[in-house]
Amino acid sequence: MKYDPFLFLSALGSGGISVAFWKLGESVGHNALITFAELFFLFLQYVLFVINLWYWLKEVRQQQVLFGLMRRHSQHPLTATGWMSMPAAFAMVLNSSFAVLPTFFNVSITVLLPLGLLMWVLSAAITLILGFMILVNSFAAGNSLQQFHFGILFQPLVYGLNAIPGIAMSSYVT
């Protein structure tokens, strides 16, 4: 098996479903079924993320140049936006973990804040580095946009996904 961006998107979707069940529990009250659904989809997200991270890292090592930066004869630069699915899934790991885990373990979010901030900085740094590489590859290709690619919309989406936990955690930082 090899790296496929859509596998990371499945981790992103599982985290989103977990957050949806958490919000449902906040609205109507947590019961055993809602709590089970939250934890099931959160666990599924973790498993999918870890498995896909291994394939992502393996693919990075197989390439001679980090993410194909400045390769003249590589694939179209916009297809490189598939690399952005890892930080998108990573940001959703943060979003869903900081929604579900404090509620489930009945702890304050301030207990998890140092780890969350460290993970958020890592996620934001990966997103900014990949975004810069995609931008450089797009300008280095020197050709006009001849076809629409999903990655054009995916890049700002990942920035937004990273902003959500950052904004949420900033209110707890003194």
Side-chain angles (χ1 to χ4, degrees):
M1 192 169 170
K2 64 177 210 153
Y3 170 70
D4 187 350
F6 289 110
L7 296 176
F8 264 128
L9 294 179
S10 63
L12 178 93
S14 295
I17 293 171
S18 179
V19 171
F21 275 107
W22 168 76
K23 199 59 174 168
L24 177 66
E26 291 289 310
S27 300
V28 299
H30 288 278
N31 59 32
L33 184 61
I34 291 175
T35 303
F36 173 77
E38 288 175 19
L39 295 177
F40 173 77
F41 286 108
L42 187 67
F43 177 75
L44 182 63
Q45 177 191 20
Y46 290 156
V47 168
L48 290 169
F49 182 80
V50 169
I51 290 171
N52 294 323
L53 182 63
W54 186 81
Y55 290 119
W56 188 82
L57 292 171
K58 183 178 165 186
E59 188 77 19
V60 167
R61 272 188 267 132
Q62 286 179 352
Q63 289 195 6
Q64 299 299 322
V65 180
L66 184 63
F67 306 123
L69 183 63
M70 300 301 287
R71 271 192 183 163
R72 290 286 178 193
H73 302 292
S74 67
Q75 59 185 352
H76 193 276
L78 292 177
T79 60
T81 55
W83 292 106
M84 291 294 263
S85 62
M86 191 283 286
F90 191 37
M92 186 51 85
V93 165
L94 282 171
N95 288 334
S96 59
S97 296
F98 280 90
V100 174
L101 293 180
T103 304
F104 180 72
F105 290 114
N106 199 21
V107 296
S108 172
I109 197 168
T110 56
V111 173
L112 300 173
L113 191 61
L115 177 63
L117 285 173
L118 180 66
M119 290 176 60
W120 178 78
V121 167
L122 180 63
S123 176
I126 291 169
T127 301
L128 290 174
I129 290 168
L130 290 176
F132 174 74
M133 290 180 170
I134 291 167
L135 184 66
V136 168
N137 280 339
S138 297
F139 284 115
N143 54 9
S144 63
L145 181 63
Q146 298 171 359
Q147 62 183 358
F148 178 78
H149 191 270
F150 173 69
I152 294 172
L153 296 176
F154 196 55
Q155 206 171 353
L157 174 71
V158 177
Y159 293 131
L161 282 172
N162 273 310
I164 294 169
I167 291 169
M169 285 187 284
S170 69
S171 64
Y172 294 98
V173 177
T174 56

